Amino acid sequence: MSFSSFSQASDLPAWSKLQALYDSKGKSLSVKEQFKQDADRFSKFTRTLKNYDDSEILFDFSKNIIDDEIFSALIQLAKEANIEALRDAMFAGEKINSTEERAVFHVALRNQSNKPMSVDGVDVVSEVNSVLAHMKEFTEEVRSGKWTGYTGKAITDIVNIGIGGSDLGPVMVTEALKSYSKRDLFVHFVSNIDGTHTAETLRNLNPETTLFLIASKTFTTAETTTNAKSAKSWFLETAKDEAHIAKHFVALSTNAEKVSEFGIDTKNMFGFENWVGGRYSVWSSIGLSVALYIGYDNFVDFLKGAEAVDKHFVETPLEQNIPVIGGLLSIWYNNFFGAQTHLVAPFDQYLHRFPAYLQQLSMESNGKSVTRSNEFVKYSTGSILFGEPATNSQHSFFQLVHQGTKLIPTDFILAAKSHNPIEKNLHQKMLASNFFAQAEALMVGKPKDVVEAEGAAPSLVPHKIFLGNRPTTSILAQEITPAALGSLIAYYEHVTFTEGAIWNINSFDQWGVELGKVLAKAIGAELNDKDDVSSHDASTNGLINQFKKWSL
Ligand code: F6P
């Protein structure tokens, strides 16, 4: 199936045009000068997203290295790459994940307006709604104390066991929305196969009041099934009777057979379909820990916030389309400036896991090197996404962003209203001043004459110069509500989609994670054998054999 009339994005006329624009002016375009020349630049390059609850998020793209001509060439590229056709195919439930022959339909999970949506002619709306109804009922029972453990006590602790998309989304969202939580219900996450993660998480928990959510789309992921078995043993050490598992273990999965093999009654399974990719699954029953933590109504607001962005993405012309613009800027830096990375720095402690979440979204989606037409790409694809919350990150790696030799396109995120306006909002104002100051400093820099006028010793002058002209996008929300967070995530999902559509790669498979899994399985068997191994390369043999000696 093909949605593009090209294989290589670099063959598109707009690509050549952008290359010519980069060579003739883009590489030396001064954003500071552009602001001087164009009084309307801020309004021209900002877009406001209106949410379903009338709240807004402002996206300021004006500090990027673009002008009108470059912007129109980028939009032209989106048109030539036929991004609208691919987008519409995704929203129509077509199998755009070509290598796995699957639809990419996580958008159907947040279809709160109940538009008809189907895959292979089969309606999905009623199934999605029935899982949501099950989640609602269960959430209310657990939160109210009606659902009790095997000794009749209410649940106090929820442990989500999952990895990748079955972990990162729930961790990030529960952290981000902590201020909406029921403060006497605690969530914990176990993902790593390192026994420390399970042991330290369970150390202070009481089996009588602990509920485990085993979150795995496939229910075959080695880390998750092993951690889940260890949790089951820990539970049964106290509870003794396997019949008690029903009150303490539920499964979030697409694989009913494996769920019941594990010993979980499929009545206690919350399902979803294989058209939900792991990294897009927080909207599905994989989000149950979120619903339990913040309450079902807040979970619905979270879905509605994402749905508002879906609507915007589908209905808005490309020139005004916020995720399309975000994605195109990423192409501009990646493919014409040679940028390798993308920094996301939330000025928000609650969003401290947001960059980690975005790493999977972006890098598992667009870390590909073969086009949809099965050719090796002739250009660079997925960026290395990284980030940490500010202001902490300012005091660690921002030095390199300001004065290093690399161009690092950056997104800053701030909510105007804090959930914790302590000390008469003093902290929030300091946080906000840094948000504005960093973007300003990266753009304006500090030229030689200013450093000299400040009286710096001649030998120090070069060290104190900031070249500036480092591109940033500032994202200003009113408040990080469940709806606003849903919107922010959906924004990045569609940015990722836009990039993949232009590069003409399949953003929805993840073959690259398979090889390591297969080799680990084989080596796992060898570790049980006391003899030295010799079947690998010399380095791998040497390491395995040393490990065997030291781990005895
Ligand atoms: O190994 C990568 C991956 O397949 C991710 O795409 C996925 O989110 C994760 O593993 C977990 O998979 P599952 O939910 O099936 O356990």
Side-chain angles (χ1 to χ4, degrees):
M1 184 183 333
S2 175
F3 297 94
S4 46
S5 53
F6 64 99
S7 176
Q8 304 285 343
S10 50
D11 292 342
L12 296 171
W15 189 281
S16 312
K17 181 159 190 203
L18 282 161
Q19 187 60 57
L21 285 170
Y22 172 79
D23 293 337
S24 62
K25 62 173 167 179
K27 63 180 178 211
S28 52
L29 191 86
S30 158
V31 178
K32 208 163 49 172
E33 284 308 311
Q34 293 295 312
F35 271 107
K36 282 188 196 148
Q37 285 166 23
D38 184 354
D40 293 334
R41 184 175 172 90
F42 175 71
S43 53
K44 192 184 278 172
F45 291 124
T46 52
R47 302 285 180 274
T48 302
L49 181 90
K50 207 174 179 59
N51 220 321
Y52 78 94
D53 59 0
D54 284 340
S55 65
E56 293 181 339
I57 304 178
L58 179 74
F59 291 78
D60 175 12
F61 297 110
S62 65
K63 290 197 183 80
N64 283 286
I65 311 174
I66 50 172
D67 64 5
D68 294 345
E69 203 180 2
I70 295 167
F71 184 75
S72 349
L74 286 168
I75 297 296
Q76 189 59 35
L77 181 68
K79 288 188 181 144
E80 288 175 12
N82 223 356
I83 185 175
E84 286 151 302
L86 189 67
R87 174 199 65 196
D88 294 347
M90 173 169 79
F91 278 85
E94 287 180 40
K95 296 189 176 159
I96 64 165
N97 176 356
S98 49
T99 60
E100 296 181 313
E101 288 187 57
R102 286 179 181 164
V104 174
F105 221 22
H106 48 279
V107 291
L109 298 165
R110 50 222 196 190
N111 174 23
Q112 284 292 309
S113 50
N114 288 317
K115 290 182 299 289
M117 292 183 104
S118 57
V119 174
D120 284 334
V122 179
D123 162 65
V124 302
V125 182
S126 52
E127 180 56 23
V128 166
N129 286 341
S130 106
V131 175
L132 282 172
H134 190 191
M135 287 171 70
K136 177 177 198 283
E137 185 195 0
F138 184 72
T139 298
E140 282 163 6
E141 286 195 5
V142 172
R143 287 169 64 89
S144 67
K146 193 169 158 211
W147 179 285
T148 57
Y150 71 99
T151 56
K153 293 183 184 156
I155 299 298
T156 56
D157 293 89
I158 291 151
V159 181
N160 185 87
I161 300 182
I163 197 163
S166 300
D167 170 72
L168 287 161
V171 175
M172 182 275 281
V173 176
T174 51
E175 283 296 300
L177 299 178
K178 193 174 256 172
S179 55
Y180 293 83
S181 72
K182 190 165 153 32
R183 296 285 181 167
D184 56 357
L185 186 61
F186 302 95
V187 276
H188 314 264
F189 294 88
V190 173
S191 50
N192 202 330
I193 191 57
D194 183 346
T196 299
H197 208 178
T198 297
E200 285 295 342
T201 305
L202 300 183
R203 188 177 294 279
N204 296 319
L205 297 186
N206 177 359
E208 293 175 63
T209 56
T210 300
L211 174 71
F212 291 95
L213 313 181
I214 314 302
S216 176
K217 175 177 168 179
T218 54
F219 228 78
T220 57
T221 303
E223 289 93 334
T224 301
T225 51
T226 307
N227 284 330
K229 279 184 199 139
S230 304
K232 189 160 81 169
S233 309
W234 172 85
F235 172 74
L236 287 174
E237 245 172 61
T238 311
K240 312 289 183 213
D241 189 346
E242 299 234 348
H244 296 325
I245 287 176
K247 287 292 201 179
H248 292 267
F249 283 79
V250 305
L252 323 175
S253 186
T254 59
N255 192 341
E257 199 183 318
K258 290 278 174 204
V259 165
S260 72
E261 245 172 59
F262 177 84
I264 296 178
D265 189 336
T266 45
K267 280 208 302 279
N268 293 333
M269 169 173 162
F270 297 79
F272 55 103
E273 296 295 329
N274 72 11
W275 40 254
V276 182
R279 51 196 175 274
Y280 302 91
S281 63
V282 69
W283 322 101
S284 73
S285 62
I286 292 290
L288 186 61
S289 54
V290 175
L292 285 162
Y293 194 53
I294 64 172
Y296 183 76
D297 291 346
N298 284 322
F299 185 70
V300 167
D301 289 350
F302 172 65
L303 299 179
K304 285 186 182 165
E307 186 187 27
V309 174
D310 294 341
K311 197 166 159 11
H312 169 91
F313 185 51
V314 170
E315 294 176 1
T316 312
L318 296 179
E319 293 77 359
Q320 303 300 328
N321 201 307
I322 298 171
V324 169
I325 298 171
L328 289 170
L329 286 169
S330 161
I331 304 279
W332 178 230
Y333 297 124
N334 197 308
N335 297 108
F336 299 93
F337 285 76
Q340 298 279 331
T341 57
H342 186 115
L343 166 61
V344 178
F347 283 71
D348 193 310
Q349 191 55 30
Y350 281 130
L351 290 179
H352 69 114
R353 294 299 289 163
F354 196 51
Y357 169 80
L358 294 181
Q359 279 181 329
Q360 188 199 12
L361 171 63
S362 172
M363 293 161 82
E364 197 168 74
S365 297
N366 286 341
K368 312 284 164 66
S369 43
V370 175
T371 68
R372 287 182 172 274
S373 331
N374 315 320
E375 286 176 8
F376 277 96
V377 288
K378 294 183 181 159
Y379 35 81
S380 163
T381 59
S383 299
I384 301 159
L385 192 148
F386 72 110
E388 278 290 322
T391 58
N392 296 20
S393 43
Q394 289 172 214
H395 298 272
S396 64
F397 57 78
F398 268 44
Q399 165 64 37
L400 189 148
V401 184
H402 283 281
Q403 282 189 315
T405 54
K406 299 187 168 57
L407 180 86
I408 304 182
T410 298
D411 294 353
F412 290 139
I413 304 171
L414 175 77
K417 203 166 161 204
S418 169
H419 285 289
N420 298 293
I422 60 172
E423 298 292 321
K424 302 199 179 105
N425 225 16
L426 166 75
H427 292 252
Q428 175 66 1
K429 284 186 184 147
M430 286 174 70
L431 180 71
S433 7
N434 279 280
F435 168 83
F436 301 121
Q438 285 299 324
E440 186 175 32
L442 285 165
M443 179 182 77
V444 300
K446 195 170 184 186
K448 188 162 179 257
D449 55 334
V450 175
V451 178
E452 283 171 344
E454 282 177 356
S459 64
L460 281 182
V461 169
H463 298 276
K464 294 195 164 189
I465 291 171
F466 289 68
L467 295 176
N469 217 39
R470 309 208 162 193
T472 59
T473 294
S474 298
I475 302 175
L476 181 61
Q478 286 180 262
E479 190 176 15
I480 301 297
T481 58
L485 183 67
S487 297
L488 280 176
I489 301 172
Y491 163 74
Y492 280 102
E493 283 180 353
H494 298 323
V495 165
T496 304
F497 176 95
T498 301
E499 295 168 341
I502 305 266
W503 288 321
N504 197 25
I505 54 176
N506 180 2
S507 304
F508 304 103
D509 58 12
Q510 56 284 317
W511 300 105
V513 296
E514 293 307 319
L515 179 60
K517 285 188 196 171
V518 172
L519 295 186
K521 208 167 173 187
I523 294 174
E526 289 171 344
L527 294 184
N528 291 325
D529 182 348
K530 59 181 179 354
D531 297 334
D532 275 2
V533 297
S534 57
S535 54
H536 303 269
D537 59 90
S539 162
T540 310
N541 286 336
L543 288 165
I544 294 176
N545 293 331
Q546 189 64 68
F547 170 85
K548 285 192 181 197
K549 286 195 191 88
W550 282 349
S551 65
L552 285 177

